[in-house]
Amino acid sequence: SAVISQKPSRDICQRGTSLTIQCQVDSQVTMMFWYRQQPGQSLTLIATANQGSEATYESGFVIDKFPISRPNLTFSTLTVSNMSPEDSSIYLCSGGTGDWGYTFGSGTRLTVV
Amino acid sequence: AQTVTQSQPEMSVQEAETVTLSCTYDTSESDYYLFWYKQPPSRQMILVIRQEAYKQQNATENRFSVNFQKAAKSFSLKISDSQLGDAAMYFCAYRPLNYGGSQGNLIFGKGTKLSVKP
């Protein structure tokens, strides 16, 4: 199964700024996703990152706030824009070929102050 | 819409004992995959075991096994000979075999926090 490197692992950011999270996969994957997770809770899907086209966002998440890029089948970024303390959370990327389960990056713990 | 329910927010087991985590799901699909993921405090989501719905045989991975009851839409995880390293959050997840209108993403339950007592 694919191995996903996610960075940064954590960051503390000022409100009003933006942070870009990167995920690099060691092999081509057809599917990539971005999740948000509050500590101790389940994962909430933000969007599906589509290669070469606009991401597909879940209800409650918009492109202006969470722009996503996926220029090829091994790389994707998620930007958290104009951050507020409510954006403090863990962000995870996930990917796979869709035949089986997906692997995950190690997560980014974001704190907005 | 498909849903996954984990009714046990927390469970505890003595080291070397056996524990079973429950999961039920709701779907109108006949073919799908089910998964158990483990998330230790390090945040890394680790795939523990997976089951294809069209296979009647229960999946087994070393000390981890599942009891898959398709008619009852139940997918429990049994951990035998529990070890301290098994302490983690466990998530049950579902994905349809054919995406159709969905994006092929996993649908997660709320998780069960497992503690292992020495």
Side-chain angles (χ1 to χ4, degrees):
Chain A
S1 57
V3 176
I4 301 178
S5 299
Q6 181 173 345
K7 58 181 182 183
S9 60
R10 61 178 60 225
D11 208 340
I12 301 173
C13 300
Q14 295 292 321
R15 66 178 66 199
T17 63
S18 298
L19 175 71
T20 296
I21 303 167
Q22 299 182 359
C23 278
Q24 178 72 54
V25 193
D26 68 345
S27 60
Q28 293 187 345
V29 292
T30 54
M31 311 293 291
M32 287 192 76
F33 307 94
W34 287 95
Y35 292 88
R36 185 168 71 182
Q37 183 184 30
Q38 296 295 341
Q41 297 188 21
S42 190
L43 287 73
T44 299
L45 181 66
I46 297 172
T48 301
N50 300 310
Q51 191 264 327
S53 64
E54 191 172 287
T56 304
Y57 290 85
E58 297 299 302
S59 176
F61 297 96
V62 296
I63 188 171
D64 290 344
K65 176 67 175 178
F66 298 100
I68 289 170
S69 77
R70 191 175 174 202
N72 55 53
L73 293 177
T74 63
F75 186 78
S76 181
T77 67
L78 168 75
T79 299
V80 186
S81 303
N82 188 25
M83 288 184 285
S84 67
E86 292 71 34
D87 295 320
S88 298
S89 190
I90 298 165
Y91 293 84
L92 298 109
C93 64
S94 175
T97 61
D99 292 340
W100 268 115
Y102 303 121
T103 55
F104 286 78
S106 55
T108 297
R109 181 181 288 273
L110 170 63
T111 303
V112 183
V113 298
Chain B
Q2 297 96 349
T3 59
V4 177
T5 302
Q6 293 179 250
S7 60
Q8 305 154 316
E10 295 188 22
M11 291 282 285
S12 181
V13 64
Q14 204 72 32
E15 194 176 9
E17 298 293 310
T18 296
V19 64
T20 298
L21 308 184
S22 301
C23 173
T24 59
Y25 58 94
D26 187 23
T27 183
S28 59
E29 302 286 337
S30 58
D31 292 322
Y32 46 87
Y33 297 117
L34 294 164
F35 309 90
W36 280 97
Y37 280 88
K38 168 185 176 181
Q39 187 180 41
S42 66
R43 299 197 306 266
Q44 181 70 56
M45 291 282 283
I46 301 165
L47 179 61
V48 174
I49 199 165
R50 53 200 176 197
Q51 175 82 42
E52 299 152 295
Y54 52 88
K55 288 186 176 179
Q56 291 188 344
Q57 186 174 2
N58 289 324
T60 299
E61 290 286 343
N62 300 314
R63 298 182 295 107
F64 299 87
S65 61
V66 298
N67 183 5
F68 173 49
Q69 301 289 329
K70 189 173 184 179
K73 297 181 182 176
S74 172
F75 183 61
S76 61
L77 174 70
K78 185 172 81 172
I79 306 174
S80 303
D81 185 25
S82 296
Q83 302 175 359
L84 295 177
D86 294 333
M89 197 76 162
Y90 285 82
F91 292 99
C92 180
Y94 162 96
R95 186 180 76 76
L97 181 65
N98 298 306
Y99 305 162
S102 77
Q103 299 299 314
N105 57 284
L106 297 175
I107 299 169
F108 288 94
K110 291 187 180 297
T112 297
K113 184 177 181 180
L114 178 65
S115 302
V116 181
K117 297 179 180 178

